[in-house]
Amino acid sequence: MSDTQSSRQEPSFTGAIPFKADGAYMPGLDGLRAISILIVVIAHVGFENLIPGGLGVTVFFFVSGFLITRILVAEQNQHAGAIDLPGFYLRRFLRLAPALLVFLLGSWLMLLPFGVKVDAGHVAAALFYFINYYDVVREWFGWSERTIPWGHLWSLAVEEHFYLLFPAALALFGKTHQARVRLVIISIVVCALWRAYAVLGLGLPHEHTYYTTDSRLENIAWGCLLAILLDGAPRTRARLAWLVGWHWVVLALGAILATLVYRDEVFRETLRYSIQGAALFLLV
């Protein structure tokens, strides 16, 4: 097939995000991450009733899933579906661990004069990325209440669990484009159904729904899905290009606004995350 014939099959849409997966830097996504962090910061300084900090975390999860998946899929495209898992894990460790250690030590030294106590459970939960489960399960095991303000590391724990699980799942069950799509869609559906069952069937508290990986992994998976579909065949890319336009932006923003305005507790603990994930899919 000639280059001219091949180009005719590609959708005409061109934008800031290339279709084909690669590890190239995309400044537009840095903007999204900056917005997500700004939302969280504004909420935490006393405006949580006006600015929903949780939405900022959801946006950050989506962007993380998108970026990591593009990197992994690009590697699979170059190496017949294979992923260098030890290399990936080493890069994640070197990127996260030094900053985490400096933060933990520095914050502990700052709080030491105020008599704030830190026990081994607090340190282990922070160092080994299970602080998002610590407050949920500590009463079950008789652990002491967390007194040092490391609770915001819960989102880092969710991302670290994603870094551990998703590349291995992709290497084992996602060697082709169709397999990747199937893997991520199943993950989204299973996570959404489990969250609904946890709330409606088991009556698990808000802390579980909001903080735990098994509940929030769906937000990351929506970003993974977009990255995988962008890397698909020309027909798939053409369908995605059809979703570009201001009317879709308005629809997606309206859906996100609706999830913030509608205050029913069951909705907020279940469908809210799915609707926000789908809306971010459209926006990005």
Side-chain angles (χ1 to χ4, degrees), residues 233-255:
R235 180 183 299 176
T236 303
R237 301 179 194 176
R239 290 171 179 169
L240 288 175
W242 181 75
L243 294 175
V244 174
W246 282 108
H247 55 293
W248 292 109
V249 172
V250 172
L251 175 64
L253 289 175

Side-chain angles (χ1 to χ4, degrees), residues 8-217:
R8 287 174 182 169
Q9 295 181 8
E10 294 291 328
S12 59
F13 168 69
T14 57
I17 300 176
F19 278 112
K20 201 65 179 172
D22 57 33
Y25 171 65
M26 289 176 285
L29 293 183
D30 271 356
L32 276 179
R33 285 196 286 195
I35 291 171
S36 69
I37 294 170
L38 185 62
I39 291 173
V40 174
V41 171
I42 292 175
H44 277 287
V45 296
F47 295 95
E48 63 273 6
N49 291 330
L50 297 175
I51 305 295
L55 177 61
V57 177
T58 298
V59 174
F60 199 92
F61 282 163
F62 182 97
V63 174
S64 294
F66 182 84
L67 287 173
I68 293 299
T69 303
R70 280 181 70 87
I71 293 172
L72 293 171
V73 170
E75 183 176 349
Q76 286 187 306
N77 290 340
Q78 295 172 5
H79 299 95
I83 296 174
D84 178 15
L85 292 177
F88 175 84
Y89 292 139
L90 179 61
R91 291 192 300 272
R92 289 292 98 193
F93 176 81
L94 294 176
R95 185 176 179 86
L96 296 175
L100 177 62
L101 290 173
V102 169
F103 166 74
L104 294 177
L105 180 60
S107 58
W108 176 71
L109 291 174
M110 290 176 64
L111 291 168
L112 195 59
F114 299 96
V116 177
K117 296 180 180 180
V118 182
D119 64 23
H122 303 155
V123 177
L127 280 178
F128 297 103
Y129 301 101
F130 65 90
I131 204 163
N132 60 327
Y133 285 97
Y134 187 88
D135 287 337
V136 177
V137 303
R138 65 178 178 80
E139 294 183 358
W140 303 353
F141 297 97
W143 296 344
S144 62
E145 184 176 358
R146 177 175 50 82
T147 57
I148 197 166
W150 289 346
H152 50 286
L153 292 176
W154 74 268
S155 57
L156 181 62
V158 172
E159 293 212 1
E160 183 65 16
H161 299 160
F162 165 71
Y163 297 150
L164 287 172
L165 296 173
F166 183 68
L170 208 59
L172 291 172
F173 308 112
K175 295 182 182 296
T176 66
H177 174 73
Q178 290 80 4
R180 292 169 201 144
V181 173
R182 184 165 55 247
L183 172 67
V184 176
I185 289 179
I186 290 174
S187 300
I188 290 173
V189 172
V190 169
C191 184
L193 291 176
W194 160 247
R195 188 173 57 246
Y197 177 69
V199 173
L200 300 174
L202 301 178
L204 295 183
H206 164 77
E207 287 77 14
H208 175 272
T209 305
Y210 189 80
Y211 293 116
T212 63
T213 304
D214 52 274
S215 176
R216 298 304 297 272
L217 199 61

